[in-house]
Amino acid sequence: MHERCDVLVAGGGVAGSLISFFLASSGFEVILLEQKSRDDTMKVCGDAIGKHHFDNVGIPHPSGEELAGTFKGVKVVAPNEKDEVIVGGEGYALNRPLFIKRLRKMALDAGAELLDKHAVLKPIVDGSWLKGLEVFDLRAGERKEIEATVTIDATGVPAVVRSRLPAEWPVSEKVPPEDYDVCYREIIEMDGVETGYAVIYLSTVIAPGGYWWWFPKNERTVNVGLGVKGGGSSPNPQKNYEKYVRPKLGRIKLVIHAGGGICPTRRTISCMVWNGFVAVGDAACTANPIHGGGMGPAMLSAKSAAQAIEEALSREDPSVKGLWSYQNRYMELYGAKQAGLDVLRMYLQLMSDEELNFVFEKGVISSADVGEIGYKGDLGSTLISKVSSAIRLLSRPSLLARLKKVKDYMDKARELYYSYPKSPEDFKRWKIEVDELFEEYRSWLQGS
C-alpha cells in the first residue's frame, strides 16, 4: 500500500505533535506517525518546563487538568544536603499525558492525519535523498510505504529514522553512550508535599554524572527520580534510587507511575537536515546538557524547523540547502547555549562531592550566577573575577585555574555554534573545528 503527503512526521511526542500543528496550520498535508495507540501518551519525564517556552513558540500556556502545579524557581542542593542555591524563574509541573494529547488535538484540528499503532521499519532512500518511510501497521498487520516531500524524525532518543540513514550522510551521526543520562523516576502520592520549588540534588555517590530530583506537582503528588551518566561503568539508576532516595521519602501512599528512560545531555548533533529530511527534539539531541530538560528545547526546535520547512516547500526546494536555515535559527535560539553548557557538563561530571560542597559552602557562586549560566550558557567575566578573589582567599588556586579554562572552552564552543555555517558547503570545515575543539578539551580534562 502506498500513500503520499507533503510532510511525514515520525513520533507523536512534544516535537512531533507541535511541528505537525505548525505545518498543517500552514496548509500542508501532514501525516503524523505514532507507534503507540493514540490514548497512550505516557513517557518517563521530569514533567517540568519553563513558562517562557510557551511564549517563545506562541502556543497557549497549560491550564486545567493539564497544569499539575507551578514553580517559582529551582533549588540546587549541595551533596551535603545543607547548602543550596535558589534560582528564580516561573515554571510548570505538567500532567504530561494531557499536554501531549492537547498538542496532538491541535495538530489534528489543523488538518494533520494521525496514524497511530504504526512502527517505522526503514527509510526509503533514493540516491542522496530520503523519500519517505516503510512502516508497519500494527493493527492491520501489514507493511506500507508512505512517500513524502519532507520526512521528520521526532522519535526521541532512539532516532529510529536518523539512525538508519546511510552512514555517509552527516545526519546519521552516532551519539556515544556517555552523552546520555539514564534515569529512573516515580510519580508518587504522599501527604504534606512542600510545593513552590523544583529541587535538584547533586551527589556523585547517589547520582554520578547526574543528579536526583524532587519536582512537586501539588500538595499530594511529586515527581521524584534519579539520573546517572550513561556508559559501561555507571550504576543502575533504579538500584541507586531504591538504595539512596526512597529511604529519604518517608511514607508513600501510592506509586502512580514508575519507569526508566534515557535523555541526551549534550550539544545538538552537528547536522540536523539532509535532502528531504529533518531531525527535531531528542532525535537531534536538543535537551539541556546540564539539567536534561527536553520539552522546552524540543518545542523550539519544532518551531524553527517548521519555519524552514515552510520556506523550503514554498520554493519547491526540500534539499539540504533548502532546509539548512533551520539549523541557523535553532543555534541562535538555543543550540549555541547548549554547546557552552555541554562544555560545563563535562567538567561538572568530574567534580568531586568535596569540591561541590566547597563551592556551595563558601558562596563561590550565587543564585544570580547560576541563573546567568543557565540563561546564556556562559561563565561571565564578572563571575570569574569574583571567584578569583574568593578562591585566592580560600587557597584554592587549582580550582580557579580550572574554572578559567572551562570558561575559555565554553566561550569558544558557544561562538562556534553561533557561527554555524550558512550553507552546506562550509559544513565540513566547521565540523572539523568543532571536533578539534572538543577533542582538545577532553584531553585537557583528562590531564587536569
Side-chain angles (χ1 to χ4, degrees):
M1 181 185 295
H2 292 264
E3 295 188 35
R4 170 81 200 169
C5 61
D6 296 322
V7 181
L8 177 59
V9 182
V14 171
S17 297
L18 189 58
I19 199 169
S20 296
F21 161 70
F22 287 136
L23 292 171
S25 297
S26 296
F28 298 107
E29 186 180 5
V30 178
I31 294 178
L32 174 59
L33 297 174
E34 172 54 50
Q35 182 168 324
K36 297 185 291 187
S37 72
R38 66 182 60 215
D39 294 324
D40 183 2
T41 53
M42 178 61 76
K43 178 185 174 181
V44 171
C45 176
D47 299 336
I49 184 171
K51 179 180 178 181
H52 61 285
H53 289 299
F54 291 87
D55 294 324
N56 290 339
V57 300
I59 65 170
H61 290 241
S63 61
E65 292 184 1
E66 181 189 315
L67 179 60
T70 59
F71 302 118
K72 56 186 176 183
V74 178
K75 288 183 182 180
V76 184
V77 182
N80 60 25
E81 296 191 15
K82 295 185 299 181
D83 298 292
E84 63 185 35
V85 170
I86 298 177
V87 184
E90 293 180 90
Y92 298 128
L94 297 179
N95 182 327
R96 193 180 189 280
L98 292 184
F99 176 50
I100 297 299
K101 287 181 179 179
R102 192 242 295 194
L103 294 181
R104 285 190 192 167
K105 184 177 187 302
M106 288 167 55
L108 298 182
D109 289 348
E113 178 185 2
L114 173 63
L115 297 181
D116 64 336
K117 301 289 285 185
H118 278 66
V120 174
L121 293 177
K122 64 179 181 179
I124 301 171
V125 175
D126 182 7
S128 64
W129 283 79
L130 180 62
K131 294 292 188 177
L133 298 173
E134 184 177 329
V135 303
F136 189 74
D137 184 338
L138 295 166
R139 284 197 181 90
E142 63 181 18
R143 293 171 178 255
K144 65 173 76 169
E145 290 186 356
I146 305 177
E147 296 182 354
T149 306
V150 175
T151 300
I152 299 171
D153 191 346
T155 60
V157 169
V160 297
V161 181
R162 188 177 69 77
S163 63
R164 297 173 189 178
L165 296 175
E168 62 270 20
W169 295 7
V171 289
S172 66
E173 175 183 349
K174 300 293 184 287
V175 178
E178 59 269 23
D179 284 354
Y180 292 102
D181 262 22
V182 185
C183 310
Y184 176 80
R185 78 99 171 88
E186 294 180 347
I187 298 175
I188 59 176
E189 185 178 308
M190 56 193 303
D191 291 325
V193 174
E194 183 179 346
T195 62
Y197 289 98
V199 188
I200 289 174
Y201 293 88
L202 304 177
S203 169
T204 62
V205 175
I206 298 174
Y211 61 87
W212 71 274
W213 69 86
W214 172 271
F215 294 169
K217 291 176 176 286
N218 51 51
E219 292 80 5
R220 301 175 307 280
T221 311
V222 62
N223 181 314
V224 57
L226 180 150
V228 302
K229 178 182 176 181
S233 60
S234 298
N236 181 304
Q238 182 175 356
K239 289 183 178 178
N240 272 30
Y241 177 88
E242 292 170 348
K243 180 178 180 180
Y244 297 109
V245 177
R246 190 170 284 152
K248 299 175 183 289
L249 302 181
R251 181 175 177 270
I252 297 172
K253 297 175 68 174
L254 176 67
V255 177
I256 299 170
H257 187 271
I262 302 175
C263 174
T265 49
R266 53 160 284 153
R267 61 198 181 279
T268 65
I269 56 172
S270 300
C271 180
M272 302 189 288
V273 301
W274 198 247
N275 296 318
F277 174 77
V278 169
V280 295
D282 280 355
C285 296
T286 58
N288 186 293
I290 299 298
H291 56 64
M295 289 190 288
M299 290 164 62
L300 292 175
S301 74
K303 179 75 170 181
S304 303
Q307 291 170 331
I309 292 168
E310 183 174 350
E311 291 170 0
L313 292 180
S314 68
R315 294 192 304 264
E316 298 185 351
D317 181 18
S319 68
V320 60
K321 190 169 185 177
L323 295 165
W324 196 261
S325 65
Y326 158 44
Q327 301 169 120
N328 298 114
R329 282 187 172 97
Y330 182 76
M331 296 310 167
E332 187 70 27
L333 282 173
Y334 204 83
K337 180 177 86 168
Q338 266 185 267
L341 292 177
D342 194 20
V343 170
L344 181 60
R345 182 264 308 185
M346 295 164 70
Y347 174 70
L348 291 175
Q349 287 178 329
L350 294 177
M351 289 186 74
S352 67
D353 280 358
E354 188 265 339
E355 288 177 313
L356 289 168
N357 283 332
F358 173 83
V359 168
F360 278 78
E361 288 171 0
K362 305 302 181 183
V364 171
I365 296 180
S366 70
S367 299
D369 296 328
V370 175
E372 191 74 358
I373 293 167
Y375 181 69
K376 293 183 178 179
D378 174 32
L379 290 180
S381 299
T382 303
L383 169 61
I384 291 296
S385 176
K386 185 179 71 174
V387 169
S388 298
S389 301
I391 290 180
R392 283 195 195 97
L393 291 173
L394 297 166
S395 302
R396 291 276 181 143
S398 62
L399 178 58
L400 171 60
R402 291 199 301 273
L403 283 175
K404 285 183 173 179
K405 196 76 169 178
V406 170
K407 174 183 166 46
D408 288 343
Y409 279 109
M410 288 178 71
D411 289 346
K412 290 175 183 176
R414 202 173 59 257
E415 184 55 39
L416 264 177
Y417 277 74
Y418 272 128
S419 303
Y420 193 87
K422 300 296 184 183
S423 68
E425 290 77 18
D426 295 325
F427 174 75
K428 188 174 181 180
R429 171 199 54 76
W430 177 87
K431 180 68 162 60
I432 290 171
E433 287 186 60
V434 169
D435 289 345
E436 288 178 346
L437 176 67
F438 276 89
E439 184 57 39
E440 178 185 305
Y441 180 58
R442 288 189 195 93
S443 297
W444 173 76
L445 283 176
Q446 290 169 3
S448 66

